[in-house]
């Protein structure tokens, strides 16, 4: 309990004690994911409140599912989530590295170095690392890009699937890449992912165009349309319906019928409006009245109802259309175009495929159980994220800890020229980088220290490209990572450095932790909850 009267209901820790507590929390968190790093990493079995299970080897998935209370642990989890959002990979590495930075900082604090000097040193080290990274990179050819995508899947799924998914991810990325003012942009959210239980994982496939599991509302509508115009409605094409609270006093025979007729006439008018706009393909978020299916079919409009909002958005982007709440409000500017639209039945399943000029692709994840389909979906999502980044920035670094060892060696050489205590922090940063090769070795059953020393020695022997020596955890020995095809995108490594350093610095800046005492019996009386 705090001794400051105003902070009575708070538990307070400050100065060194706060730092030590925070670092202990960070290390505990890193301990939870350490064993998953690399292709020889182990899986974790996660069980949620409702007893649902998931087996995963993905650091960020483990962390996000854990019920973590400690605010510092939460900060590191946020860093890992950001890593996932920005780079789609490197999440375990980011947590391990920031925890290691903190652990090394603590040792310096014990030697009397002030946390702010450590913070300054870490920033210098990060800047130097970032600069040096560019001298370690190689331009990636198409086949190297695929190898890098495969590396990001290693340990997550079996080898045959790694190759298959990496190929499909690259196909998909190429299908959705756009040229924006001379710059390649590939947005992975433009790829639709469908899951199907049944069959083998290896049956998972990529289809060009956007595929939805939908059937046109009436079979007399055209099955296949060539180049035409599409309208997207964020509502429906249906009668408003009488609200249950409305009382209708029928004074005359047929009043209700007239009322219905009028509504139908209004719907028919909307269909005429679509015809005037030249629309041949229609997708609505809500329903389309059975009554007007015939009229739509007569107008030759292939129509789909109850299309999910997310799918409408994908269609809008692919066709260059704009969503509207109702047909009346549609104008020429809202109408999009498509190259082909097919409504067909394949293996007992209704499929609607739309090909558009903007490209687009659909991945069909298959597997014999819910779990395996989920795994295929997650792995494809990761692979696609990496593939898209590589199209945008086709630059690679050697993996297997080679890059981290090369950076650490560079930092140690540079540290000598840095005056003051910051020098110690730069050296501590270099040591922390080596947590990656050490952990990779450890998870492969190798001696972490011996392996690290061997890698450092081989890099130090010099010669061109010696910085590419890392730990080949499958062959269980140091090897040239470029020759082994163990490569990773520059963007992932750069983000690990930036994100982990930032997270560690924020923890180092804290010198006071105030825990509010929450009394679970007092209801939350904030006005928002009224
Ligand atoms: P993260 O969540 O950080 O991406 P991973 O479990 O995916 O963690 O492991 C990534 C690390 O494994 C990277 O450092 C990568 O270079 C390394 N790696 C991948 N395949 C191999 C391999 N065959 N040999 C050695 N290291 C590898
Ligand atoms: Mg990874």
């Amino acid at each position: 309990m705090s001794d400051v009267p105003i902070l009575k209901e708070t538990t307070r820790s400050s100065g060194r004690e706060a730092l030590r507590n925070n670092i202990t929390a960070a290390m505990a968190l890193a301990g939870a994911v350490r064993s998953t790093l690399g292709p020889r990493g182990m899986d974790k079995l996660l069980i949620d409140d409702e007893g649902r299970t998931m087996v995963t080897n993905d650091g960020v998935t483990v962390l996000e599912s854990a019920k973590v209370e400690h605010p510092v642990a939460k900060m590191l989890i946020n860093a890992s989530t950001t890593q996932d959002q920005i780079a789609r990979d490197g999440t375990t590495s980011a947590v391990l590295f920031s925890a290691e930075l903190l652990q090394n900082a603590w040792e310096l604090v014990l030697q009397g170095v002030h946390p702010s000097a450590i913070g300054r040193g870490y920033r210098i080290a990060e800047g130097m690392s970032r600069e040096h990274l560019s001298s370690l990179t190689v331009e990636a050819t198409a086949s190297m890009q695929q190898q890098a995508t495969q590396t990001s899947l290693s340990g997550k799924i079996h080898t045959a699937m790694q190759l298959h998914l990496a190929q499909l991810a690259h196909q998909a990325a190429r299908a959705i890449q756009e040229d924006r003012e001379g710059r390649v942009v590939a947005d992975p959210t433009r790829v639709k992912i469908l899951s199907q239980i049944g069959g083998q994982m290896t049956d998972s496939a990529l289809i060009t165009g956007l595929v939805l599991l939908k059937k046109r509302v009436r079979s007399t509508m055209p099955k296949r349309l060539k180049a035409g115009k599409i309208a997207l409605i964020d509502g429906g094409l249906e009668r408003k319906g009488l609200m249950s609270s409305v009382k209708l006093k029928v004074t005359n025979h047929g009043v209700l019928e007239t009322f219905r007729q009028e509504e139908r006439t209004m719907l028919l008018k909307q269909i005429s409006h679509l015809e005037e706009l030249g629309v041949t393909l229609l997708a609505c978020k809500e329903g389309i009245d059975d009554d007007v299916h015939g009229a739509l079919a007569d107008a030759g409009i292939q129509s789909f109802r109850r299309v999910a909002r997310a799918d409408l958005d994908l269609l809008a982007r692919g066709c260059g259309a704009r969503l509207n709440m109702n047909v009346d409000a549609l104008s020429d500017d809202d109408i999009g175009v498509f190259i082909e639209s097919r409504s067909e039945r394949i293996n007992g399943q209704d499929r609607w495929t739309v090909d558009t000029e903007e490209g687009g692709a659909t991945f069909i994840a298959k597997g014999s159980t819910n779990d395996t389909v989920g795994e295929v979906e997650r792995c494809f999502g990761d692979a696609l994220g990496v593939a898209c980044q590589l199209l945008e920035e086709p630059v690679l670094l050697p993996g297997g800890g080679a890059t981290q060892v090369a950076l650490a060696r560079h930092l140690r050489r540079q540290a000598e020229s840095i005056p003051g205590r910051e020098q110690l922090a730069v050296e501590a940063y270099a040591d922390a980088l080596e947590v990656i090769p050490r952990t990779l070795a450890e998870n492969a059953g190798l001696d972490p220290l011996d392996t690290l020393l061997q890698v450092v020695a081989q890099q130090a022997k010099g010669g061109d490209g010696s910085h590419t020596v890392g730990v080949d955890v499958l062959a269980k020995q140091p090897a040239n990572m470029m020759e082994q095809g163990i490569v990773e995108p520059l963007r992932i490594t750069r983000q690990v450095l930036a994100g982990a350093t930032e997270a560690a610095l924020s923890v180092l800046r804290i010198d006071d932790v105030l825990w509010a005492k929450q009394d679970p019996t007092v209801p939350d009386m904030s006005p928002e909850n009224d």
Side-chain angles (χ1 to χ4, degrees):
M1 182 86 61
S2 165
D3 40 5
V4 184
I6 212 164
L7 298 174
K8 242 196 184 108
E9 288 310 307
T10 4
T11 308
R12 181 174 190 179
S13 65
S14 52
R16 268 199 188 198
E17 189 201 336
L19 190 58
R20 199 189 40 151
N21 282 342
N22 292 344
I23 289 175
T24 310
M27 291 307 288
L29 191 75
V33 291
R34 189 178 297 276
S35 68
T36 69
L37 186 77
R40 285 292 169 104
M42 302 296 280
D43 290 346
K44 303 259 171 204
L45 173 64
L46 308 178
I47 306 159
D48 72 8
D49 302 2
E50 285 159 31
R52 281 182 301 235
T53 57
M54 173 159 75
V55 173
T56 181
N57 165 299
D58 187 27
V60 75
T61 313
V62 175
L63 294 177
E64 284 176 352
S65 347
K67 287 236 160 72
V68 172
E69 297 281 340
H70 199 286
V72 164
K74 281 188 186 157
M75 282 162 77
L76 295 203
I77 294 176
N78 280 342
S80 172
T81 307
T82 314
Q83 175 77 29
D84 192 37
Q85 284 162 355
I86 296 182
R88 290 311 291 257
D89 201 11
T91 53
T92 315
S93 307
V95 170
L96 289 183
F97 181 44
S98 56
E100 198 72 10
L101 283 173
L102 288 170
Q103 165 81 13
N104 293 356
W106 178 242
E107 274 155 26
L108 289 181
V109 168
L110 290 182
Q111 291 170 34
V113 185
H114 194 273
S116 58
I118 302 174
R120 282 195 301 278
Y122 278 2
R123 273 219 189 282
I124 297 174
E126 195 225 338
M128 285 177 163
S129 306
R130 190 187 284 266
E131 236 169 67
H132 192 59
L133 268 186
S134 52
S135 64
L136 306 174
T137 55
V138 285
E139 285 287 318
T141 59
S143 76
M144 282 164 92
Q145 288 182 25
Q146 202 164 300
Q147 261 171 350
T149 307
Q150 221 178 313
T151 303
S152 80
L153 288 178
S154 56
K156 292 201 175 129
I157 203 159
H158 60 81
T159 323
M161 264 320 266
Q162 285 170 22
L163 181 64
H164 186 52
L165 289 179
Q167 277 169 350
L168 296 184
H170 278 273
Q171 264 179 36
R174 279 194 299 271
I176 50 132
Q177 82 178 59
E178 301 162 63
D179 188 351
R180 274 196 215 142
E181 291 151 14
R183 208 164 49 90
V184 176
V185 179
D187 176 1
T189 61
R190 286 197 46 209
V191 177
K192 162 109 183 139
I193 298 185
L194 276 182
S195 48
Q196 271 181 4
I197 299 176
Q200 305 266 318
M201 269 187 182
T202 43
D203 296 335
S204 302
L206 191 81
I207 301 176
T208 49
L210 186 64
V211 180
L212 305 182
L213 300 181
K214 285 269 155 206
K215 187 180 174 183
R216 60 195 188 283
V217 292
R218 182 158 293 188
S219 54
T220 50
M221 288 174 176
K223 254 185 166 174
R224 181 183 286 247
L225 292 174
K226 285 279 176 201
K229 293 187 177 176
I230 179 171
L232 302 173
I233 306 298
D234 200 10
L237 197 64
E238 48 192 350
R239 296 192 167 101
K240 297 278 170 288
L242 293 178
M243 287 199 291
S244 52
S245 59
V246 172
K247 270 192 196 149
L248 205 64
K249 199 168 172 189
V250 181
T251 52
N252 204 334
H253 216 62
V255 163
L256 209 54
E257 191 48 36
T258 320
F259 189 78
R260 287 217 175 100
Q261 273 303 334
E262 260 173 33
E263 277 204 314
R264 182 161 193 269
T265 315
M266 271 162 61
L267 291 180
L268 292 177
K269 247 205 216 143
Q270 296 188 358
I271 295 172
S272 310
H273 184 49
L274 287 174
E275 280 187 279
E276 280 161 21
L277 289 166
V279 168
T280 50
L281 181 57
L282 172 72
C284 298
K285 193 177 84 184
E286 282 155 27
I288 298 179
D289 252 3
D290 291 356
D291 244 16
V292 295
H293 290 179
L296 281 166
D298 291 344
I301 302 178
Q302 194 187 48
S303 317
F304 297 85
R305 61 178 165 187
R306 310 221 183 283
V307 180
R309 176 60 204 255
D311 292 335
L312 285 176
D313 284 337
L314 281 174
L315 280 167
R317 285 161 76 179
C319 304
R322 240 191 345 230
L323 262 69
N324 245 302
M325 282 310 287
N326 55 50
V327 175
D328 293 328
L330 278 180
S331 75
D332 256 339
D333 294 343
D334 304 320
I335 305 298
V337 288
F338 60 89
I339 296 174
E340 189 176 74
S341 170
R342 297 186 300 278
S343 170
E344 52 205 347
R345 207 170 162 76
I346 297 173
N347 298 334
Q349 193 179 51
D350 291 303
R351 276 197 199 166
W352 171 31
T353 312
V354 188
D355 287 328
T356 67
E357 211 145 274
E358 285 288 307
T362 304
F363 174 72
I364 303 195
K366 289 213 173 188
S368 50
T369 65
N370 229 336
D371 287 343
T372 47
V373 176
E375 202 179 326
V376 171
E377 249 180 65
R378 275 197 305 279
C379 288
F380 178 78
D382 290 350
L384 178 66
V386 175
C388 285
Q389 286 180 47
L390 282 169
L391 279 184
E392 294 180 354
E393 192 178 356
V395 186
L396 295 176
L397 284 167
T403 299
Q404 286 79 5
V405 170
L407 288 177
R409 294 184 54 235
H410 173 75
L411 290 179
R412 289 199 185 100
R413 283 196 301 267
Q414 299 292 310
E416 293 170 5
S417 61
I418 298 167
R421 297 185 167 194
E422 285 78 359
Q423 182 186 112
L424 297 174
V426 173
E427 281 165 357
Y429 194 95
D431 294 344
L433 280 167
E434 289 173 344
V435 72
I436 304 297
R438 270 193 281 120
T439 310
L440 284 172
E442 191 176 342
N443 289 346
L446 293 165
D447 183 277
L449 192 60
D450 286 348
T451 314
L452 176 64
L453 290 174
Q454 283 170 21
V455 172
V456 173
Q458 292 201 18
Q459 287 205 4
K461 246 197 295 182
D464 248 2
S466 61
H467 68 268
T468 60
V469 178
V471 193
D472 183 343
V473 303
L474 301 178
K476 295 200 173 206
Q477 60 186 23
N480 184 326
M481 295 290 107
M482 289 309 208
E483 283 168 12
Q484 303 301 315
I486 304 168
V487 281
E488 346 185 80
L490 165 67
R491 202 184 277 186
I492 293 177
T493 311
R494 200 170 51 201
Q495 179 58 31
V496 169
L497 291 179
T501 309
E502 206 49 60
L505 288 181
S506 343
V507 177
L508 282 179
R509 275 196 294 266
I510 302 171
D511 87 329
D512 215 352
V513 179
L514 307 171
W515 293 77
K517 288 252 175 74
Q518 280 161 359
D519 182 352
T521 58
V522 179
D524 187 356
M525 299 298 276
S526 61
E528 292 89 7
N529 292 351
D530 281 350

